[in-house]
Amino acid sequence: MKAIVWRQIAAAWFACLSGIASALDAGNQAPSFDIAGRGGDVKLADYRGKLVYVDFWASWCGPCKRSFPWMNQLQARFGQQGLQVVAVNLDAKRQDADQFLSTTPAEFVVGFNPNATVALAYGVKGMPSSVLVGPDGRVLFVHAGFLDSDKARLEEEISRNLPK
């Protein structure tokens, strides 16, 4: 009996995950969020009309540390053209994120999601993960990981989708 109940729970869990993953297909509406940030609340809806590069990160993630200077460059290069980088931190303790940010500056919006509800809504399976959200709030592109070899492709997606 217990095995049957656990199988049903597992099936329900995987069904939920499948639904989350399909919500991130290109063209679907990006899940909204409203989380605490460094200077107030960070709400995806506040960036409607802009191209938003949503990045999920944690202080212990090596590739995340390497991605921050690049995201600073993205914000500086494309910000005036309508790009907004929004980095969503998933550390359980805010002090871990703050310590990371004291040595790895972020010149873009940073929000904190210690209970990972936003990451779950976006189906994040590893870090860093990023989602490009169009000016209309729809998912344009999903990417996992961060390698130097990824930069050109990501920048091409950003350039191609900047608001006209």
Side-chain angles (χ1 to χ4, degrees), residues 67-120:
S67 72
F68 268 56
W70 177 75
M71 290 190 296
N72 285 334
Q73 292 171 356
L74 281 181
Q75 188 63 58
R77 180 175 167 197
F78 296 114
Q80 293 297 319
Q81 299 172 55
L83 174 71
Q84 181 59 62
V85 175
V86 176
V88 178
N89 175 266
L90 301 175
D91 283 308
K93 295 183 208 168
R94 169 77 183 261
Q95 69 191 56
D96 293 339
D98 289 338
Q99 184 175 355
F100 175 97
L101 292 168
S102 72
T103 60
T104 309
E107 297 165 5
F108 42 81
V109 173
V110 176
F112 304 97
N113 187 224
N115 59 9
T117 55
V118 178
L120 286 172

Side-chain angles (χ1 to χ4, degrees), residues 1-41:
M1 181 69 170
K2 285 184 182 179
I4 293 171
V5 171
W6 281 112
R7 274 190 235 135
Q8 290 172 335
I9 291 171
W13 175 252
F14 286 117
C16 288
L17 288 178
S18 297
I20 290 169
S22 66
L24 285 182
D25 288 341
N28 288 352
Q29 198 68 31
S32 64
F33 57 84
D34 181 351
I35 57 178
R38 291 189 294 181
D41 290 344

